[in-house]
């Protein structure tokens, strides 16, 4: 009789919230796939906080603190990794788009119209000779990048606004839409940014 009572006194029910926090924390790995799933780590963090509060409530005598803490660690770890990976990826992509647009503009400024044309999607950009002639009137004016944003009408495209000022005929603003494409060189696939179109707003 005494042994049964001791066993009952030693038993502590496991907090359901803590178990749910552990499961949600493990599922937080899906946040690495897409920003759409960033809500999962946030949900896991909320469940972990509720689980810790449930376990720590005076008189509750529930087990599950370790499960809630592990779920919280998973959620914070996967959530932080997902956000930092997305920020780093965006920074790399915008840097590449900015560099490609600047290289294209440098080719036009140097009068290498054929080089600039080779960086364009076929039929995407016309009147490069006229644009090069206008840009030549800008002398040594350093181009200023004002906008780098996603393109609404080109899949995986980015719009880079280049501004040249001062120029003989006034400032020149050019919106250059670029997109990455894979090309094969020496049996290796590399990413190359191509100018899809250019417009003057």
């Amino acid at each position: 009789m005494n042994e049964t009572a001791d066993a009952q006194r030693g038993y502590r029910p496991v907090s359901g919230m803590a178990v749910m926090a552990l499961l949600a924390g493990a599922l937080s790995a899906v946040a690495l796939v897409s920003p759409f799933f960033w809500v999962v780590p946030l949900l896991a963090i909320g469940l972990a906080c509720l689980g810790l509060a449930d376990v720590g409530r005076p008189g509750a005598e529930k087990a599950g603190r370790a499960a809630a803490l592990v779920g919280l660690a998973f959620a914070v770890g996967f959530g932080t990794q997902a956000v930092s990976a997305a920020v780093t990826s965006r920074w790399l992509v915008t840097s590449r788009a900015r560099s490609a647009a600047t290289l294209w503009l440098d080719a036009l400024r140097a009068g290498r119209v054929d080089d600039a044309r080779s960086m364009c999607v076929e039929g995407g950009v016309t009147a490069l000779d006229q644009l090069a002639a206008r840009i030549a009137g800008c002398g040594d004016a350093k181009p200023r990048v004002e906008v780098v944003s996603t393109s609404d009408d080109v899949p995986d495209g980015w719009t880079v606004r280049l501004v040249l000022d001062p120029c003989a005929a006034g400032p020149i603003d050019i919106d250059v839409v670029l997109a990455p494409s894979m090309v094969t060189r020496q049996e290796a696939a590399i990413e190359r940014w191509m100018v899809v179109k250019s417009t003057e707003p």
Side-chain angles (χ1 to χ4, degrees):
M1 190 77 168
N2 289 337
E3 290 180 4
T4 304
D6 289 342
Q8 287 177 345
R9 280 196 298 270
Y11 173 75
R12 293 167 55 201
V14 178
S15 168
M17 284 291 180
V19 173
M20 290 174 62
L22 178 60
L23 294 174
L27 285 174
S28 295
V30 299
L32 300 172
V33 176
S34 168
F36 177 77
F37 296 112
W38 286 2
V39 68
V40 178
L42 294 175
L43 177 64
I45 290 171
L47 288 172
C49 291
L50 290 174
L52 290 170
D54 188 31
V55 171
R57 198 169 55 237
E61 296 184 358
K62 288 185 178 180
R65 179 177 172 78
L69 289 173
V70 170
L72 180 62
F74 278 153
V76 171
F78 285 127
T80 302
Q81 186 177 359
V83 171
S84 63
V87 168
T88 302
S89 176
R90 183 179 176 90
W91 178 81
L92 286 172
V93 169
T94 55
S95 295
R96 289 174 183 161
R98 185 189 308 255
S99 296
T102 304
L103 284 173
W104 178 76
L105 182 63
D106 288 344
L108 288 175
R109 295 180 71 181
R112 303 191 322 269
V113 178
D114 289 338
D115 289 345
R117 190 172 285 116
S118 72
M119 296 176 65
C120 300
V121 172
E122 188 173 349
V125 182
T126 57
L128 283 180
D129 292 306
Q130 292 88 334
L131 181 58
R134 287 181 56 214
I135 290 173
C138 298
D140 293 330
K142 185 177 180 181
R144 190 171 70 249
V145 179
E146 289 195 345
V147 177
V148 180
S149 62
T150 54
S151 174
D152 294 330
D153 52 351
V154 177
D156 296 326
W158 288 80
T159 301
V160 179
R161 175 167 292 178
L162 300 170
V163 179
L164 284 167
D165 188 30
C167 297
I172 298 176
D173 291 4
I174 308 170
D175 282 350
V176 183
V177 179
L178 306 102
S181 63
M182 299 306 292
V183 296
T184 304
R185 286 186 179 172
Q186 298 176 350
E187 299 180 3
I190 60 171
E191 183 183 75
R192 183 180 181 195
W193 284 76
M194 302 291 290
V195 176
V196 178
K197 64 179 181 178
S198 68
T199 57
E200 295 187 47

